[in-house]
Structure formats: structure tokens, C-alpha cells
Amino acid sequence: MSDANGNGVNPEKDLSAENLPGQRGQGGEEIRVQRGMFGANNGGDTSGYGGLVRSVRLPGPAARPYGGWFDEVADELEGALEEQGLLPDNAIEKTVVDRDELAFHIEREHLVLVARTLRDDPALRFELCTGVSGVHYPNDKGRELHAVYHLRSITHNRVIRLEVSAPDSDPHIPSLVAVYPTNDWHERETYDFFGIVFDGHPALTRIMMPDDWQGFPQRKDYPLGGIPVEYKGAQIPAPDQRRSYS
């Protein structure tokens, strides 16, 4: 969307702007303003959305009461951590309720203790971790890399998330394989694609890319690159080198 001068308008900043799907408004923490659909800034956006401007926000901490069983889980987790001599505020960076989901942002040095508590406490019993996935926010300074864990309680039929962050300069997060053995291959994949080093993993190796591959291809700052393709005498350049038709 553009104004009368042809400049991009951010509909989350201009409340009179139209054409916006699902706005988060001013809530949460703005980490980037994205222009265009795919982040191309060299004239290579051929999608027709080159004028789109939107804020990229992380949801902020929720205030009690969280609602439903969320308060029960939060209270039990905080109480169980206190019983082990750990102040909850030292382990839980923030508690987020967003889109009807509960997520605990955990300080990485306390991740293993928090996960074991969630698994073993009878009132919590999150017995299953369905894996870990990586996220890269290049503009989230000091915590560019995020690891997200989905935990399920079969006993209580509940699902929560844990999220841990680490800086690009120190991409280390404790492994949870000793607590949730099913994370073995998920941590390898996240290491392979995002470069997050899971300390204590029994055999942290690449499983998708060749062993000598340079870089981590699912990071946002990884070049689009590509291999020029010949087709009936013509060469198709790599995606980030193609001309713009807008």
C-alpha cells in the first residue's frame, strides 16, 4: 500500500490505512519493519507486493490472570522451581499468552531444570516433547537465534511451548536429549539449518546438508544464491539476481 506520493505506508502505524489482514497493533515488541513480501531490497521483488510495509513484532508478556488452565500450570511450575531453590524470575524471562497458546520464555542456563520439572512434576506431567525448531531474527539484537519446544501432557491433555534465545555470537543452548530423548534428531536438524549448538548432545552432526557445507541455510541472512540454470541456450540467474518487473 502506498500514499499519494508513492511511498510505502505501514498500516500498523497508520490506523486509517485499509487492506490489512490481522493486525497486532502496538502490542508486543517491534523488531523490524519489513518492506515488500519477501524482504528483497534490490529491485528483485517480482511478486507485486513491493510496496507492502508491515511491522514484525514479538508478542509481549501477558498479565495475570492468563485464563483457563494457564494459571494452574504457571503457578505449579513457579512453585516447583522455588522448591528446588530457584527463583522463578531467574528462570522464566517472560510468560506469553498469544493466540490462545501458553509459552514460557526460559533463560538458557536453566532450560534443562525447567524441562525436567515440567516432565516430572505430577501436576504438570508434560511427558512428550514433539521436537525443537529454530527461528532467526537478525534484528533481535543479542538474542537473534530462538529455539522453540512444543511440550504435550498426555496425562492432562495440554500443550505449551518453551522458547529459548541465544545471540549469533554465542549460539549455545543446552541439549534436552537427556530429558526428552526424541529431541535427538530434531536438535541435529536445528543445528544443521540454524547453527544453534546444543551443548551436551550425544552426536551433534549435520543430517541434511553435506558435512563441509558453509553456513546455515535457514538463517534469514543466508544469501538466496542459487545455481544459474541453462534452458535452451538461455541462462536463468539465481533468485536474488533476477530483474524486477514492477
Side-chain angles (χ1 to χ4, degrees), residues 108 135-146 165-172 194-196 216 219 221:
R108 56 179 170 170
V135 191
H136 186 215
Y137 297 108
N139 298 100
D140 193 13
K141 299 303 180 184
R143 52 183 189 183
E144 293 87 355
L145 293 168
H146 292 234
S165 61
D168 272 339
S169 58
D170 182 27
H172 291 263
F194 289 91
I196 298 176
F216 306 101
R219 288 195 183 188
D221 54 5

